[in-house]
Amino acid sequence: MSESAKRYVQIMDTTLRDGEQTQGVSFSPAEKLNLAKTLLEQVRVDRIEVASARVSSGEADAVRQIIDWAEGRGLAERVEVLGFVDQGRSIEWIRSAGGRVLNLLTKGSERHCRGQLGKSLEQHVADVRACVGRACDAGLTVNLYLEDWSNGYRDTPDYVYRFVEQLADTGVGHFMLPDTLGVMTPEQVEAAIADMVARFPGLCFDFHPHNDYGLATANVLAAARAGVSALHCTVNCLGERAGNASLAEVAVNLRDQLDYRTGIDETHLARTSELVEYFSGKRIADNAPIVGADVFTQTAGIHADGDRKGSLYHSRLSPERFARRRKYALGKLAGKASLAKNLERLDIQLSEEQQQAVLRRIIALGDSKKTITTEDLPFIIAEVLESKDYDHAELLACSVASTMDLESTASIKVRIEGDIYTAVGSGNGGFDAFMSALARVVKKRGLTLPRLTDYEVRIPKGGRTDALTECSIVWQTEQGELRTRGVHANQVFASIAATLRMLNIVIHRALKRAAAEAEAVSD
C-alpha cells in the first residue's frame, strides 16, 4: 500500500494543558510558546491544547503569545483551549486571548452529571447547547470533552447515547472521549469506540487516555483500530496521577504496529522530550521507550557480537530514525565486541593484546561504576598503555572520610612485598589524608614518598557528574619527573590509583638499585 493510501490518524498533544496537571509542573508563558513552536512546526502534531480558561492572567498571556505567533504561520486554528459551561465566561476569556478553538468540558457520565452538577441529562444538554451556540456566534470552533466517558459508557450507556444524539446537530467538530481515570482495558476501549463510531457515523471522535493501569499506549492503539479520528497524548507521559499516553510511543506504534499515517516528524521526538524534561523539572526514566537515554544502548557483550556479525539485535526502532545513535555500553558485562564497536567509533586501533588489557581494566572499573561511556575510553586506554604493572605494592582496603569544618581522615591496609601494613592519616581533604597514612607505611620500609609537583583532574568533554575521572600527577623523584595517572569513578580514588602506580615504580627502582649494588659488591 502506498504511503498516501494508508489511513491517517490525527495527533492532538495536550502537554501544555493536561501535562500541567502533573504534580509540581507549571510552564511559564515563554516556555509554553517555545514548546508550542516545537510541537507544531518541528514535531508537526496536528493540534495542541495549550491552556485551561480562566486560570490566571499568566495563562491568558501564554495563550495570547502562542496565538500571535501561530496566526503569522496559518496555525491558529490548530491551537485549542479547554473551557467550561459557565454562562459564557470561558468563551470571553478565550476570545480576549485571541483563541479560535474551544474544547468544552461536559459530563460524559450520568454519575458526574447528577453528582457534581445536580442536574438531569436534559438540563445539562440544554446548558451545553446554549454554550455551544454562544461560542459559535463568537466565531469559535467547538470540540466537546465527555468527561468520565469510560465509566459513563460502562455504567449508563443510554445516558452517553442520548447525550451525543442531542448534541450531534450543534456543529461540534470533535466529540472527545476520555478514559478520565484510566480504568479501561484495550479490549474495552476497542469495543466501546467501535460502537460509538458505528452508532454515530457522521461524527468525529477523539480518544483521550490516562495511564493509571499502565495501559494508555495500548488503549490508544485499540482506539485507532476501532476507527477513532484523533488521539490525545503528551510528551513524556505528563498528566494527572500516572499521566497520559506518550507522544513518542503513540506516534511510533501507530506507524510500526498498525501501519497508519501521522504527520509526526520522528527526528524531533527525542529533542522535544529533553526540552519538556528541562522545562517541567520531571526527569524521565533512562529506559523510557524511544526517548530514554539508554534505549539504544546494548550492554551485554553477546548483543554487540551479534550486531557485529550481522545486525542480529536490530529492529525497526533504529536510533538513526530518531536522529540518535546506537551505543555499546562498557562495563563488567562488556565483551570484546563491545570494545571493538567503541574503538571503531573513536577510530582507534589497538593490538589484540592491548584490547585484552583495556577490556580487563573496563571490567574492573565496571564493578565500581554502572557504565563507562565512549568518552571515558581514551582515559582508560591511556592509563593502560602507559602503565607498567609492577606488583610490589597493593592497596587491600581503604576508608576515606571528609567532613565540613573538620580534618579528613584515611585508614589504609597495604601489602608491600608480602608484608601487610595498616595506618591512619589525617589531612586537608581525602587525598591529603591518604598521603599522610601512606607516608607512615613507606617510612617503615625505609622509603620516602617523592614530592608532588603537579596535580590535574579531568573528566571527558561533555561528561556528566558521574563520568570517569582521570587524575594525572607529576612527582619529583631522584631520577627526575615522573608522571602517573589513575582512572576511577571517584576523584579521590583516581588520585590514589595514580599514587599507587608511583609507589610501585619507586619500589621497583629501589629494588633494581639494590640488586645492582649487590651485584657490584659481589664482583
Side-chain angles (χ1 to χ4, degrees), residues 62-155:
V63 174
R64 193 173 296 109
Q65 289 185 38
I66 292 169
I67 293 294
D68 286 347
W69 166 81
E71 279 183 338
R73 288 157 179 79
L75 300 173
E77 302 295 336
R78 293 163 61 179
V79 178
E80 304 174 6
V81 179
L82 181 73
F84 310 95
V85 182
D86 55 8
Q87 290 76 50
R89 290 191 294 273
S90 289
I91 294 169
E92 288 307 311
W93 191 94
I94 293 170
R95 281 191 63 202
S96 66
R100 308 282 184 82
V101 183
L102 162 66
N103 289 343
L104 186 62
L105 189 68
T106 67
K107 297 303 180 183
S109 71
E110 186 172 35
R111 182 165 173 263
H112 270 221
C113 184
R114 292 192 178 277
Q116 198 165 38
L117 300 181
K119 295 189 176 185
S120 67
L121 168 65
E122 290 71 22
Q123 289 171 317
H124 186 42
V125 166
D127 290 343
V128 172
R129 288 185 69 92
C131 190
V132 172
R134 186 182 286 117
C136 291
D137 291 343
L140 298 182
T141 298
V142 182
N143 302 316
L144 218 63
Y145 270 116
L146 278 68
E147 186 183 14
D148 199 40
W149 165 80
S150 49
N151 283 321
Y153 183 88
R154 180 194 64 197
D155 299 335

XYZ file of all heavy atoms in Angstrom, residues 62-155:
732
model
N 0.052 33.548 28.041
C 0.652 32.443 27.286
C -0.164 32.137 26.037
O 0.379 31.985 24.933
C 0.760 31.202 28.169
N -1.497 32.067 26.196
C -2.364 31.798 25.042
C -2.225 32.913 24.013
O -2.107 32.654 22.806
C -3.828 31.654 25.494
C -4.744 31.520 24.274
C -3.996 30.453 26.415
N -2.199 34.132 24.474
C -2.090 35.285 23.563
C -0.790 35.217 22.746
O -0.794 35.441 21.532
C -2.166 36.575 24.378
C -2.378 37.835 23.546
C -2.615 39.036 24.447
N -3.856 38.905 25.225
C -3.903 38.684 26.543
N -2.786 38.583 27.239
N -5.059 38.575 27.168
N 0.315 34.907 23.423
C 1.607 34.831 22.725
C 1.610 33.699 21.694
O 2.125 33.858 20.581
C 2.733 34.618 23.738
C 3.046 35.829 24.599
C 4.251 35.584 25.496
O 5.225 34.952 25.091
N 4.182 36.077 26.725
N 1.043 32.562 22.081
C 1.020 31.419 21.159
C 0.152 31.741 19.940
O 0.541 31.470 18.796
C 0.510 30.152 21.879
C 1.531 29.697 22.922
C 0.255 29.024 20.875
C 1.010 28.614 23.860
N -1.022 32.334 20.168
C -1.919 32.666 19.056
C -1.280 33.710 18.144
O -1.349 33.610 16.904
C -3.278 33.157 19.578
C -4.024 32.019 20.293
C -4.122 33.727 18.448
C -4.434 30.875 19.407
N -0.644 34.726 18.727
C 0.018 35.758 17.922
C 1.059 35.126 17.000
O 1.171 35.482 15.821
C 0.687 36.798 18.829
C -0.326 37.727 19.481
O -1.495 37.732 19.049
O 0.056 38.438 20.433
N 1.830 34.194 17.553
C 2.845 33.508 16.730
C 2.171 32.628 15.671
O 2.563 32.633 14.504
C 3.748 32.660 17.630
C 4.584 31.689 16.856
C 5.756 31.940 16.203
C 4.285 30.311 16.605
N 6.201 30.801 15.576
C 5.313 29.794 15.806
C 3.233 29.467 16.990
C 5.339 28.464 15.381
C 3.242 28.144 16.565
C 4.279 27.657 15.777
N 1.150 31.861 16.099
C 0.519 30.896 15.190
C -0.209 31.579 14.044
O -0.236 31.059 12.916
C -0.448 30.010 15.978
N -0.786 32.740 14.294
C -1.509 33.448 13.232
C -0.593 33.778 12.062
O -0.997 33.704 10.899
C -2.128 34.734 13.787
C -3.427 34.504 14.529
C -4.051 35.806 15.001
O -3.297 36.810 15.120
O -5.266 35.817 15.267
N 0.630 34.166 12.366
C 1.569 34.514 11.305
C 1.996 33.335 10.459
O 2.624 33.516 9.411
N 1.675 32.121 10.917
C 2.067 30.912 10.182
C 0.872 30.074 9.759
O 1.022 28.928 9.346
C 3.017 30.073 11.055
C 4.382 30.731 11.168
C 5.125 30.275 12.407
N 6.439 30.918 12.456
C 6.640 32.172 12.859
N 5.612 32.915 13.235
N 7.854 32.694 12.876
N -0.303 30.643 9.898
C -1.505 29.928 9.485
C -1.840 28.732 10.361
O -2.474 27.774 9.891
N -1.447 28.785 11.633
C -1.622 27.639 12.524
C -2.596 27.919 13.675
O -2.777 27.074 14.551
C -0.267 27.220 13.117
C 0.815 26.801 12.121
C 2.143 26.593 12.842
C 0.401 25.535 11.390
N -3.210 29.081 13.694
C -4.042 29.466 14.844
C -5.213 28.519 15.066
O -5.640 28.307 16.211
C -4.541 30.897 14.675
N -5.748 27.928 13.982
C -6.891 27.012 14.118
C -6.478 25.684 14.742
O -7.347 24.860 15.072
C -7.518 26.746 12.739
C -7.984 27.986 12.012
C -9.127 28.681 12.732
O -9.841 27.993 13.500
O -9.310 29.898 12.538
N -5.179 25.492 14.911
C -4.705 24.223 15.489
C -4.331 24.381 16.959
O -3.780 23.471 17.562
C -3.517 23.715 14.676
C -3.935 23.296 13.262
C -2.783 23.185 12.295
N -1.812 22.187 12.718
C -0.710 21.890 12.034
N -0.457 22.540 10.897
N 0.129 20.973 12.463
N -4.627 25.537 17.515
C -4.341 25.826 18.931
C -5.660 25.829 19.689
O -6.561 26.618 19.388
C -3.622 27.176 19.082
C -3.376 27.472 20.559
C -2.311 27.185 18.301
N -5.790 24.969 20.697
C -7.062 24.769 21.383
C -6.938 25.077 22.873
O -5.867 24.921 23.466
C -7.534 23.325 21.162
C -7.630 22.976 19.678
C -7.955 21.509 19.408
O -8.225 20.764 20.381
O -7.943 21.112 18.229
N -8.062 25.517 23.462
C -8.094 25.884 24.891
C -9.286 25.204 25.542
O -10.404 25.234 25.003
C -8.192 27.414 25.069
C -8.241 27.770 26.558
C -7.024 28.123 24.397
N -9.055 24.605 26.704
C -10.145 23.991 27.462
C -11.021 25.067 28.088
O -10.518 26.034 28.671
C -9.568 23.102 28.565
C -10.596 22.365 29.438
C -11.225 21.224 28.658
C -9.952 21.859 30.722
N -12.336 24.904 27.961
C -13.272 25.836 28.592
C -14.410 25.095 29.253
O -14.528 23.861 29.148
N -15.297 25.839 29.892
C -16.309 25.244 30.752
C -17.706 25.799 30.421
O -17.844 26.873 29.820
C -15.959 25.511 32.213
C -14.524 25.154 32.544
C -13.530 26.139 32.518
C -14.171 23.851 32.825
C -12.208 25.814 32.791
C -12.857 23.518 33.102
C -11.866 24.501 33.085
N -18.715 25.053 30.847
C -20.095 25.506 30.702
C -20.348 26.471 31.860
O -20.727 26.076 32.961
C -21.069 24.309 30.745
C -22.510 24.792 30.553
C -20.710 23.281 29.674
N -20.094 27.764 31.612
C -20.065 28.752 32.713
C -20.682 30.095 32.298
O -20.131 31.149 32.585
C -18.626 28.955 33.189
C -17.665 29.339 32.066
O -18.136 29.598 30.932
O -16.457 29.381 32.313
N -21.821 30.017 31.587
C -22.538 31.225 31.160
C -21.674 32.155 30.291
O -21.816 33.381 30.336
C -23.084 32.018 32.352
C -24.234 31.349 33.091
C -23.752 30.209 33.988
O -22.815 30.398 34.767
N -24.386 29.066 33.883
N -20.759 31.563 29.535
C -20.007 32.338 28.554
C -18.713 32.947 29.044
O -17.991 33.587 28.264
N -18.370 32.747 30.331
C -17.143 33.371 30.838
C -15.893 32.771 30.179
O -14.946 33.506 29.869
C -17.077 33.236 32.364
C -18.120 34.098 33.088
C -17.863 34.167 34.583
N -18.032 32.882 35.239
C -19.202 32.424 35.696
N -20.301 33.145 35.531
N -19.279 31.265 36.305
N -15.871 31.466 29.964
C -14.727 30.850 29.285
C -14.605 31.355 27.852
O -13.496 31.589 27.341
C -14.868 29.318 29.275
O -14.684 28.764 30.549
N -15.764 31.521 27.207
C -15.758 31.999 25.814
C -15.131 33.387 25.738
O -14.286 33.651 24.874
C -17.188 32.004 25.262
C -17.716 30.573 25.164
C -17.240 32.700 23.899
C -19.208 30.486 24.884
N -15.545 34.279 26.629
C -14.975 35.628 26.621
C -13.484 35.604 26.938
O -12.699 36.364 26.358
C -15.726 36.501 27.633
C -17.123 36.865 27.196
C -17.135 37.488 25.800
O -16.326 38.421 25.546
O -17.931 37.036 24.946
N -13.072 34.744 27.858
C -11.658 34.620 28.222
C -10.830 34.180 27.013
O -9.773 34.755 26.717
C -11.517 33.618 29.361
C -10.170 33.568 30.036
C -9.786 34.243 31.151
C -9.042 32.771 29.641
N -8.492 33.926 31.491
C -8.009 33.019 30.574
C -8.805 31.875 28.605
C -6.754 32.403 30.496
C -7.562 31.260 28.504
C -6.550 31.531 29.448
N -11.325 33.173 26.308
C -10.603 32.651 25.136
C -10.565 33.691 24.028
O -9.529 33.913 23.398
C -11.254 31.336 24.653
C -11.058 30.236 25.705
C -10.655 30.899 23.310
C -11.862 28.979 25.438
N -11.719 34.364 23.784
C -11.758 35.393 22.736
C -10.792 36.530 23.039
O -10.083 37.011 22.146
C -13.169 35.952 22.615
C -14.130 35.062 21.845
C -15.410 35.808 21.555
N -15.158 36.961 20.687
C -15.965 38.029 20.597
N -17.052 38.096 21.337
N -15.682 39.010 19.791
N -10.730 36.947 24.296
C -9.849 38.073 24.648
C -8.380 37.707 24.485
O -7.538 38.584 24.289
C -10.112 38.511 26.091
O -9.738 37.500 27.010
N -8.083 36.405 24.572
C -6.694 35.952 24.369
C -6.413 35.649 22.902
O -5.297 35.263 22.554
C -6.425 34.710 25.214
N -7.411 35.807 22.052
C -7.225 35.575 20.618
C -7.479 34.150 20.187
O -7.240 33.797 19.031
N -7.972 33.292 21.102
C -8.183 31.890 20.771
C -9.253 31.674 19.728
O -10.187 32.477 19.597
N -9.112 30.573 19.003
C -10.059 30.243 17.937
C -10.861 28.976 18.229
O -11.901 28.770 17.624
C -9.304 30.027 16.623
C -8.363 31.155 16.223
C -9.102 32.321 15.621
N -8.167 33.332 15.162
C -7.515 33.292 13.988
N -7.701 32.269 13.172
N -6.691 34.264 13.642
N -10.322 28.101 19.132
C -10.941 26.791 19.329
C -11.209 26.570 20.815
O -10.310 26.684 21.651
C -10.050 25.649 18.796
C -10.756 24.301 18.956
C -9.684 25.886 17.337
N -12.472 26.230 21.129
C -12.880 25.915 22.493
C -13.070 24.411 22.611
O -13.839 23.809 21.857
C -14.212 26.629 22.803
C -15.021 26.105 24.002
C -14.272 26.346 25.314
C -16.403 26.754 24.043
N -12.370 23.800 23.561
C -12.607 22.397 23.916
C -13.478 22.405 25.169
O -12.987 22.610 26.277
C -11.290 21.661 24.180
C -10.498 21.441 22.902
O -11.035 21.551 21.806
N -9.232 21.120 23.042
N -14.764 22.220 24.983
C -15.741 22.409 26.050
C -15.852 21.153 26.912
O -16.106 20.052 26.403
C -17.100 22.752 25.445
C -18.211 23.120 26.426
C -17.853 24.386 27.217
C -19.528 23.305 25.673
N -15.679 21.312 28.212
C -15.749 20.194 29.152
C -17.195 19.972 29.582
O -17.819 20.858 30.185
C -14.877 20.475 30.379
C -14.683 19.298 31.349
C -13.858 18.194 30.701
C -14.025 19.766 32.637
N -17.704 18.792 29.253
C -19.070 18.430 29.628
C -19.047 17.102 30.375
O -17.994 16.465 30.485
C -19.968 18.311 28.383
O -19.525 17.181 27.602
C -19.906 19.572 27.546
N -20.180 16.675 30.849
C -20.257 15.460 31.659
C -20.640 14.258 30.802
O -21.746 14.186 30.254
C -21.276 15.646 32.792
C -20.889 16.757 33.773
C -19.513 16.495 34.391
C -19.109 17.584 35.365
N -17.757 17.370 35.909
N -19.707 13.304 30.717
C -19.921 12.119 29.889
C -20.460 10.929 30.651
O -20.564 9.834 30.090
N -20.800 11.120 31.931
C -21.419 10.037 32.702
C -22.563 10.612 33.517
O -22.503 11.752 33.988
C -20.407 9.363 33.633
O -20.050 10.209 34.712
N -23.606 9.807 33.671
C -24.759 10.263 34.449
C -24.362 10.515 35.901
O -24.868 11.442 36.545
C -25.875 9.228 34.379
C -27.166 9.697 35.049
C -28.326 8.750 34.798
O -28.089 7.517 34.724
O -29.461 9.247 34.680
N -23.452 9.717 36.412
C -22.995 9.877 37.799
C -22.386 11.255 38.018
O -22.661 11.932 39.007
C -21.987 8.781 38.122
C -21.465 8.785 39.549
C -20.776 7.459 39.842
N -20.125 7.488 41.141
C -18.836 7.744 41.326
N -18.066 8.004 40.278
N -18.308 7.747 42.527
N -21.528 11.702 37.091
C -20.939 13.041 37.191
C -22.002 14.121 37.011
O -21.989 15.147 37.704
C -19.836 13.205 36.142
C -18.491 12.793 36.629
N -17.348 13.495 36.351
C -18.105 11.737 37.385
C -16.303 12.892 36.902
N -16.740 11.810 37.531
N -22.889 13.893 36.065
C -23.909 14.901 35.771
C -24.802 15.155 36.985
O -25.032 16.302 37.379
C -24.754 14.433 34.580
S -25.994 15.623 34.036
N -25.274 14.082 37.608
C -26.174 14.239 38.748
C -25.400 14.550 40.035
O -25.804 15.407 40.825
C -26.997 12.966 38.941
C -27.993 12.738 37.804
C -28.994 11.644 38.150
N -29.969 11.462 37.063
C -31.052 12.201 36.913
N -31.309 13.190 37.743
N -31.889 11.953 35.922
N -24.221 13.875 40.230
C -23.488 14.025 41.475
C -22.732 15.333 41.582
O -22.643 15.925 42.664
N -22.190 15.817 40.458
C -21.389 17.043 40.505
C -22.186 18.276 40.140
O -22.035 19.333 40.761
C -20.169 16.903 39.583
C -19.064 17.913 39.868
C -17.749 17.519 39.190
O -17.749 17.017 38.080
N -16.648 17.755 39.880
N -23.048 18.150 39.138
C -23.836 19.304 38.707
C -25.201 19.360 39.372
O -25.824 20.434 39.426
C -24.025 19.274 37.184
C -22.759 19.305 36.323
C -23.151 19.305 34.854
C -21.898 20.512 36.655
N -25.695 18.192 39.832
C -27.043 18.152 40.395
C -28.101 18.374 39.342
O -29.169 18.950 39.631
N -27.827 17.952 38.109
C -28.753 18.212 37.007
C -29.109 16.917 36.304
O -28.387 15.922 36.354
C -28.138 19.182 36.009
C -27.907 20.580 36.589
C -27.493 21.570 35.525
C -27.383 22.975 36.141
N -27.084 24.001 35.118
N -30.232 16.946 35.611
C -30.637 15.821 34.769
C -29.923 15.918 33.431
O -29.316 16.951 33.098
C -32.150 15.862 34.535
O -32.495 17.003 33.745
N -30.013 14.854 32.649
C -29.430 14.860 31.307
C -30.006 16.011 30.485
O -29.262 16.749 29.821
C -29.719 13.521 30.616
C -29.439 13.461 29.111
C -27.948 13.624 28.830
C -29.960 12.145 28.526
N -31.321 16.193 30.533
C -31.966 17.224 29.717
C -31.498 18.622 30.114
O -31.274 19.484 29.241
C -33.492 17.129 29.849
C -34.102 15.904 29.186
C -33.793 14.593 29.909
O -33.463 14.647 31.124
O -33.854 13.541 29.262
N -31.352 18.849 31.409
C -30.874 20.162 31.870
C -29.438 20.417 31.422
O -29.103 21.522 30.975
C -30.975 20.234 33.401
C -32.383 20.316 33.931
C -32.423 20.174 35.441
O -31.740 19.330 36.022
N -33.233 21.008 36.092
N -28.597 19.400 31.537
C -27.196 19.568 31.142
C -27.093 19.782 29.641
O -26.335 20.660 29.175
C -26.377 18.342 31.578
C -24.902 18.484 31.332
N -24.198 19.655 31.577
C -23.975 17.594 30.864
C -22.914 19.470 31.270
N -22.763 18.231 30.831
N -27.841 19.025 28.864
C -27.826 19.194 27.413
C -28.254 20.610 27.036
O -27.646 21.251 26.153
C -28.733 18.152 26.727
C -28.982 18.532 25.264
C -28.108 16.768 26.810
N -29.252 21.121 27.697
C -29.718 22.485 27.403
C -28.616 23.507 27.674
O -28.396 24.443 26.875
C -30.963 22.807 28.240
N -27.907 23.326 28.789
C -26.803 24.240 29.121
C -25.687 24.145 28.081
O -25.117 25.170 27.663
C -26.234 23.903 30.503
C -27.196 24.242 31.630
O -28.136 25.023 31.387
O -26.992 23.711 32.740
N -25.381 22.922 27.678
C -24.293 22.724 26.707
C -24.670 23.313 25.359
O -23.862 23.991 24.702
C -23.943 21.219 26.579
C -22.948 20.998 25.441
C -23.377 20.681 27.897
N -25.908 23.072 24.910
C -26.351 23.613 23.624
C -26.273 25.138 23.625
O -25.841 25.754 22.648
C -27.778 23.156 23.319
C -27.898 21.685 22.961
C -29.325 21.339 22.546
N -29.669 21.955 21.265
C -29.501 21.360 20.087
N -29.000 20.129 20.020
N -29.855 21.984 18.980
N -26.672 25.741 24.728
C -26.614 27.202 24.816
C -25.170 27.686 24.751
O -24.864 28.690 24.072
C -27.263 27.673 26.120
N -24.275 26.964 25.409
C -22.862 27.348 25.423
C -22.237 27.179 24.046
O -21.492 28.047 23.578
C -22.120 26.511 26.469
S -20.433 27.075 26.775
N -22.553 26.081 23.381
C -22.019 25.856 22.038
C -22.534 26.922 21.087
O -21.776 27.472 20.261
C -22.394 24.439 21.531
C -22.006 24.283 20.052
C -21.708 23.366 22.375
N -23.814 27.256 21.179
C -24.364 28.290 20.318
C -23.699 29.631 20.543
O -23.383 30.355 19.577
N -23.464 29.969 21.811
C -22.812 31.238 22.133
C -21.384 31.257 21.580
O -20.925 32.271 21.049
C -22.809 31.437 23.650
C -22.272 32.794 24.086
C -22.258 32.919 25.607
N -23.598 33.110 26.148
C -24.214 32.262 26.967
N -23.633 31.144 27.336
N -25.425 32.539 27.420
N -20.678 30.130 21.688
C -19.298 30.057 21.198
C -19.262 30.185 19.677
O -18.405 30.891 19.125
C -18.656 28.741 21.643
N -20.181 29.506 19.007
C -20.218 29.599 17.536
C -20.534 31.026 17.092
O -19.945 31.534 16.123
C -21.250 28.627 16.973
S -20.790 26.888 17.167
N -21.456 31.677 17.798
C -21.782 33.067 17.480
C -20.570 33.978 17.677
O -20.435 35.002 16.988
C -22.928 33.560 18.363
C -24.254 32.894 18.018
O -24.353 32.322 16.910
O -25.177 32.930 18.864
N -19.696 33.599 18.612
C -18.486 34.392 18.878
C -17.356 34.053 17.915
O -16.259 34.608 18.019
C -18.024 34.158 20.320
N -17.619 33.136 16.986
C -16.623 32.788 15.978
C -15.666 31.690 16.389
O -14.652 31.472 15.718
N -15.988 30.978 17.464
C -15.111 29.899 17.916
C -15.537 28.564 17.321
O -16.736 28.300 17.139
C -15.135 29.782 19.444
C -14.654 30.983 20.256
C -14.708 30.656 21.746
C -13.248 31.393 19.851
N -14.556 27.722 17.018
C -14.810 26.321 16.710
C -14.927 25.579 18.035
O -14.174 25.852 18.979
C -13.658 25.727 15.875
O -13.568 26.433 14.643
C -13.869 24.250 15.610
N -15.850 24.630 18.125
C -16.101 23.943 19.394
C -15.873 22.437 19.244
O -16.397 21.807 18.312
C -17.527 24.191 19.915
C -17.736 23.486 21.261
C -17.793 25.684 20.043
N -15.064 21.882 20.160
C -14.957 20.442 20.361
C -15.531 20.137 21.742
O -15.561 21.001 22.616
C -13.505 19.971 20.292
C -12.849 20.315 18.969
O -13.449 20.140 17.913
N -11.621 20.822 19.017
N -15.956 18.895 21.965
C -16.647 18.564 23.209
C -15.945 17.419 23.936
O -15.793 16.323 23.382
C -18.089 18.135 22.872
C -19.194 18.560 23.815
C -19.315 20.078 23.853
C -20.518 17.940 23.357
N -15.487 17.675 25.156
C -14.987 16.609 26.032
C -16.171 15.983 26.766
O -16.966 16.689 27.402
C -14.043 17.165 27.089
C -12.583 17.203 26.721
C -11.909 18.422 26.615
C -11.856 16.029 26.544
C -10.555 18.470 26.314
C -10.507 16.059 26.238
C -9.855 17.283 26.130
O -8.519 17.318 25.837
N -16.288 14.668 26.757
C -17.285 13.958 27.552
C -16.568 13.391 28.786
O -16.153 12.227 28.815
C -17.947 12.830 26.754
C -19.102 13.220 25.818
C -18.598 14.067 24.645
C -19.809 11.982 25.297
N -16.399 14.238 29.797
C -15.638 13.828 30.975
C -16.235 12.571 31.613
O -17.449 12.439 31.744
C -15.615 14.972 31.997
C -14.724 14.676 33.189
C -14.758 15.786 34.227
O -15.658 16.643 34.159
O -13.877 15.788 35.105
N -15.338 11.647 32.006
C -15.718 10.372 32.630
C -16.504 9.495 31.672
O -17.302 8.645 32.090
C -16.507 10.612 33.927
C -16.523 9.384 34.846
O -15.475 8.716 34.965
O -17.573 9.097 35.447
N -16.252 9.651 30.381
C -16.967 8.846 29.378
C -16.791 7.358 29.607
O -17.739 6.565 29.452
C -16.480 9.225 27.971
C -16.889 8.217 26.935
C -18.110 8.114 26.337
C -16.089 7.151 26.404
N -18.124 7.055 25.451
C -16.887 6.447 25.470
C -14.782 6.734 26.610
C -16.413 5.337 24.774
C -14.293 5.631 25.910
C -15.107 4.944 24.995
N -15.585 6.917 29.988
C -15.334 5.476 30.126
C -16.244 4.855 31.176
O -16.827 3.780 30.953
C -13.864 5.213 30.478
O -13.437 6.021 31.559
N -16.396 5.512 32.315
C -17.311 4.997 33.334
C -18.766 5.172 32.915
O -19.613 4.312 33.188
C -17.075 5.707 34.676
C -15.838 5.192 35.385
O -15.559 3.997 35.374
N -15.083 6.096 35.997
N -19.050 6.295 32.247
C -20.413 6.529 31.784
C -20.855 5.474 30.784
O -21.983 4.954 30.858
N -19.976 5.121 29.852
C -20.317 4.116 28.849
C -20.530 2.756 29.503
O -21.433 2.004 29.122
C -19.217 4.032 27.794
C -19.530 3.066 26.680
C -20.243 3.481 25.567
C -19.144 1.726 26.766
C -20.561 2.583 24.550
C -19.458 0.822 25.762
C -20.167 1.254 24.663
O -20.499 0.366 23.664
N -19.723 2.457 30.508
C -19.851 1.161 31.193
C -21.105 1.081 32.059
O -21.833 0.084 32.041
C -18.624 0.935 32.076
C -18.618 -0.392 32.853
C -17.545 -0.357 33.934
N -17.838 0.682 34.926
C -16.943 1.158 35.792
N -15.703 0.711 35.762
N -17.287 2.088 36.670
N -21.384 2.151 32.806
C -22.451 2.115 33.806
C -23.822 2.491 33.248
O -24.841 1.866 33.588
C -22.117 3.051 34.973
C -20.833 2.656 35.683
O -20.454 1.469 35.619
O -20.201 3.544 36.292
